[in-house]
Coordinates of all heavy atoms in Angstrom, one line a residue:
I39 N 38.6 92.0 -2.7 CA 39.5 93.1 -2.9 C 39.4 94.2 -1.9 O 38.4 94.6 -1.5 CB 39.3 93.7 -4.3 CG1 39.6 92.7 -5.5 CG2 40.2 95.0 -4.5 CD1 39.2 93.3 -6.8
L40 N 40.5 94.3 -1.1 CA 40.6 95.3 -0.1 C 40.5 96.7 -0.5 O 41.0 97.0 -1.6 CB 41.9 95.1 0.8 CG 41.9 93.7 1.6 CD1 43.3 93.5 1.9 CD2 41.1 93.7 2.8
P41 N 40.0 97.6 0.4 CA 40.2 99.1 0.1 C 41.7 99.4 -0.1 O 42.5 98.7 0.6 CB 39.6 99.8 1.3 CG 38.7 98.6 1.9 CD 39.4 97.4 1.7
P42 N 42.0 100.4 -1.0 CA 43.4 100.7 -1.2 C 44.4 100.9 0.1 O 45.4 100.3 0.1 CB 43.5 102.0 -2.0 CG 42.0 101.9 -2.6 CD 41.1 101.2 -1.8
E43 N 43.8 101.5 1.1 CA 44.7 101.8 2.3 C 45.0 100.5 3.1 O 45.8 100.6 3.9 CB 44.0 102.9 3.1 CG 42.6 102.4 3.8 CD 41.3 102.4 2.9 OE1 41.6 102.8 1.7 OE2 40.2 102.4 3.5
R44 N 44.2 99.3 2.9 CA 44.4 98.2 3.6 C 45.3 97.1 2.9 O 45.5 96.1 3.3 CB 43.0 97.6 4.0 CG 42.2 98.5 5.1 CD 41.0 97.8 5.5 NE 41.3 96.5 6.0 CZ 40.4 95.5 6.3 NH1 39.1 95.7 5.9 NH2 40.7 94.4 6.8
R45 N 45.5 97.4 1.7 CA 46.2 96.4 0.8 C 47.6 96.3 1.2 O 48.2 97.2 1.6 CB 46.1 96.9 -0.7 CG 44.7 96.8 -1.2 CD 44.6 97.3 -2.6 NE 43.2 97.6 -3.0 CZ 42.9 98.1 -4.1 NH1 43.8 98.6 -5.0 NH2 41.6 98.3 -4.5
P46 N 48.1 95.1 1.2 CA 49.5 94.7 1.7 C 50.5 95.6 0.9 O 51.7 96.0 1.3 CB 49.8 93.3 1.5 CG 48.7 93.0 0.5 CD 47.5 93.7 0.6
G47 N 50.3 95.8 -0.5 CA 51.3 96.6 -1.3 C 51.4 98.1 -0.8 O 52.4 98.8 -1.4
Q48 N 50.6 98.6 0.0 CA 50.6 99.9 0.5 C 51.6 100.2 1.7 O 51.9 101.3 2.1 CB 49.2 100.5 1.0 CG 48.3 100.5 -0.2 CD 48.5 101.2 -1.3 OE1 48.9 102.4 -1.2 NE2 48.5 100.6 -2.5
H49 N 52.3 99.1 2.2 CA 53.1 99.2 3.3 C 54.5 98.6 3.0 O 54.6 97.7 2.4 CB 52.5 98.5 4.5 CG 51.2 98.9 4.8 ND1 50.8 100.1 5.6 CD2 50.0 98.3 4.5 CE1 49.5 100.2 5.8 NE2 48.9 99.2 5.1
T222 N 48.6 91.5 -4.4 CA 48.7 92.9 -3.9 C 47.3 93.4 -3.5 O 47.2 94.5 -2.9 CB 49.3 93.9 -4.9 OG1 48.4 94.0 -6.0 CG2 50.7 93.4 -5.4

Side-chain angles (χ1 to χ4, degrees):
I39 298 177
L40 292 163
E43 66 277 6
R44 294 182 60 195
R45 295 175 189 171
Q48 300 301 309
H49 305 277
T222 66

